[in-house]
Amino acid sequence: MPRNTASWFYVFGSAALTVFLLQLVTGILLALIYVPSASEAWSSLQALNHDVTLGWFIRAMHGWGSNFMVAIVLIHMVQVFLFGAYKFPRELTWIVGVFLLLMTLGMAFSGQVLRFDQDAYWGLGIGASIASRVPIAGPIIVKLMLGDRLLRSDAVAIFRAACLRDSRNADRFRLSSSLDGAEARN
């Protein structure tokens, strides 16, 4: 890049990469403690916040990093569009960037759902409602997100398993959350 074109407008791609690496490291650290089941998720987050040294800090960095990642990637995409950097010979780069933006938005949404609390439950319901309005693919997306057309108590677990693309976990989580409901009724 020529010296006279260097400016602060060109930092957003590098900033997005830096925040992505931060998300990767903090996500791996959180995965060591977090238990992805409806009955254990909240208690594992509480243990992370109160029992693990600097656990609250790692969780906060990951949460805020998600917000910054979405903002920086959106700013970067707008900057690339406004500067016309998507034109020949960079069309494929633009398409990959749009795909990465969609992946970033999906990851930020799925991270919110992993807490298995009321915010996650209703956030998933709102996300499914928005997804249902997508022409043609809407019902398929909702079924993929919820495992059904209705928002049930095990929808968060099904969504978590769908994010991991592991059907064995979906069946196990569905079974464990239905057993939790049976225990609550008894």
Side-chain angles (χ1 to χ4, degrees), residues 92-170:
L92 183 60
T93 305
W94 175 256
I95 292 169
V96 170
V98 169
F99 175 73
L100 289 174
L101 170 65
L102 294 175
M103 291 295 293
T104 301
L105 293 173
M107 294 272 220
F109 179 72
S110 68
Q112 179 219 352
V113 173
L114 290 180
R115 294 177 302 183
F116 284 92
D117 60 0
Q118 286 295 315
D119 288 339
Y121 179 79
W122 292 110
L124 183 56
I126 291 167
S129 176
I130 292 169
S132 71
R133 288 166 176 76
V134 174
I136 301 169
I140 296 167
I141 296 170
V142 171
K143 186 162 177 65
L144 200 106
M145 286 173 73
L146 302 179
D148 196 1
R149 294 190 58 184
L150 300 173
L151 186 61
R152 301 185 321 241
S153 62
D154 61 349
V156 174
I158 293 168
F159 180 79
R160 167 74 162 91
C163 288
L164 293 176
R165 302 216 188 272
D166 187 351
S167 60
R168 291 179 321 208
N169 286 340

Side-chain angles (χ1 to χ4, degrees), residues 153-154 172-185:
S153 62
D154 61 349
R172 185 180 57 161
F173 290 148
R174 189 176 299 136
L175 177 64
S176 70
S177 61
S178 64
L179 290 176
D180 294 339
E183 292 171 359
R185 286 189 291 272

Side-chain angles (χ1 to χ4, degrees), residues 13 26-28 39 41 47 49 57 68 79 87 94 97 103 113 149 153 162:
T26 57
I28 290 170
S39 60
N49 284 338
F57 183 70
F68 284 125
Q79 180 254 325
K87 297 177 183 171
W94 175 256
M103 291 295 293
V113 173
R149 294 190 58 184
S153 62

